[in-house]
Amino acid sequence: MARRTKADAEGTRAAILDAAESLFYQHGVSQTTLAKIAQQANVTRGAIYWHFENKADLFNAMLERVRLPFQHLLADINKDETSDPFTQIRQLMINCLRLVANSEQHHRVLTIVFHRCEYIDELNPVVTKQDELDTRAIAVLEQAFNRAEQAGLLREDVCPRLAALSLHMYIGGIISHFLLKPLHCDLSSDAPALVDTMLLGLKKPAS
């Protein structure tokens, strides 16, 4: 029997993740078993357990494939502390919305997270991981709004923490609604106006 190469193993892992993504999207997470994923990927259940500890581990690996671009976007926002923080925040949010609008994979995976995932005990580790990512995103935004406050750009009656929470929830709401009803707006084209609507309420009016 020929030895499996690293490329073979990576191909099998990718096929399993593709199958899981497709089935989770079509049927929901709780209704999708590892046996169904194995059948869809044309592998044995043993092959799944070779790559993933359980369904929660598989689910988390599926999320990681789309988290990376978001993480890169977040990582960029506070690299240049000399730029206008509101301009940086605006561009970050527009890029995030456009990524969801223009990537079929992001659309599928985020639909699973927002609308096809019953947060049952089996997936608690995934919920914890998602909470960690949300916390990090809010912390990054809060840091940027802190710079805005120091520069006298943030409304005086809004603290950086509240601004970060508000924006995070607002963008999350837009994404959730778009995933359910993508024809309600052209998210890619409308992203700047949607972001500006929120930021207008956070930015200190010009004197």
Side-chain angles (χ1 to χ4, degrees), residues 18 21 62 65-66 102-111:
D18 288 343
E21 183 181 306
M62 180 198 68
R65 298 203 294 182
V66 301
N102 297 325
S103 165
E104 291 184 8
Q105 185 178 40
H106 281 77
H107 192 286
R108 282 193 304 273
V109 173
L110 291 176
T111 296

Side-chain angles (χ1 to χ4, degrees), residues 28-160:
V29 177
S30 67
Q31 297 300 314
T32 300
T33 65
L34 292 180
K36 290 178 181 177
I37 293 171
Q39 182 180 19
Q40 175 92 352
N42 198 27
V43 301
T44 64
R45 284 191 65 183
I48 292 180
Y49 283 115
W50 176 263
H51 291 280
F52 307 101
E53 184 177 345
N54 49 37
K55 188 161 74 169
D57 186 34
L58 173 55
F59 184 92
N60 196 49
M62 180 198 68
L63 289 184
E64 287 295 340
R65 298 203 294 182
V66 301
R67 280 177 182 152
L68 194 57
F70 282 118
Q71 290 167 341
H72 284 163
L73 290 174
L74 279 173
D76 288 341
I77 190 171
N78 287 311
K79 281 183 178 177
D80 180 8
E81 297 191 357
T82 63
S83 297
D84 177 355
F86 265 95
T87 299
Q88 291 176 303
I89 292 167
R90 179 180 186 272
Q91 195 57 55
L92 169 67
M93 295 296 103
I94 290 172
N95 290 343
C96 285
L97 291 179
R98 285 179 169 164
L99 190 59
V100 176
N102 297 325
S103 165
E104 291 184 8
Q105 185 178 40
H106 281 77
H107 192 286
R108 282 193 304 273
V109 173
L110 291 176
T111 296
I112 293 166
V113 172
F114 278 88
H115 303 299
R116 306 279 201 277
C117 183
E118 306 83 353
Y119 289 105
I120 55 178
D121 290 344
E122 183 183 5
L123 294 179
N124 274 346
V126 175
V127 177
T128 300
K129 183 67 173 179
Q130 192 60 45
D131 286 345
E132 290 173 0
L133 291 169
D134 287 342
T135 298
R136 178 173 174 269
I138 292 167
V140 169
L141 289 172
E142 184 177 359
Q143 186 179 347
F145 279 121
N146 269 319
R147 288 193 288 114
E149 182 181 52
Q150 292 164 11
L153 299 173
L154 187 67
R155 271 180 45 184
E156 294 177 359
D157 57 340
V158 178
C159 70

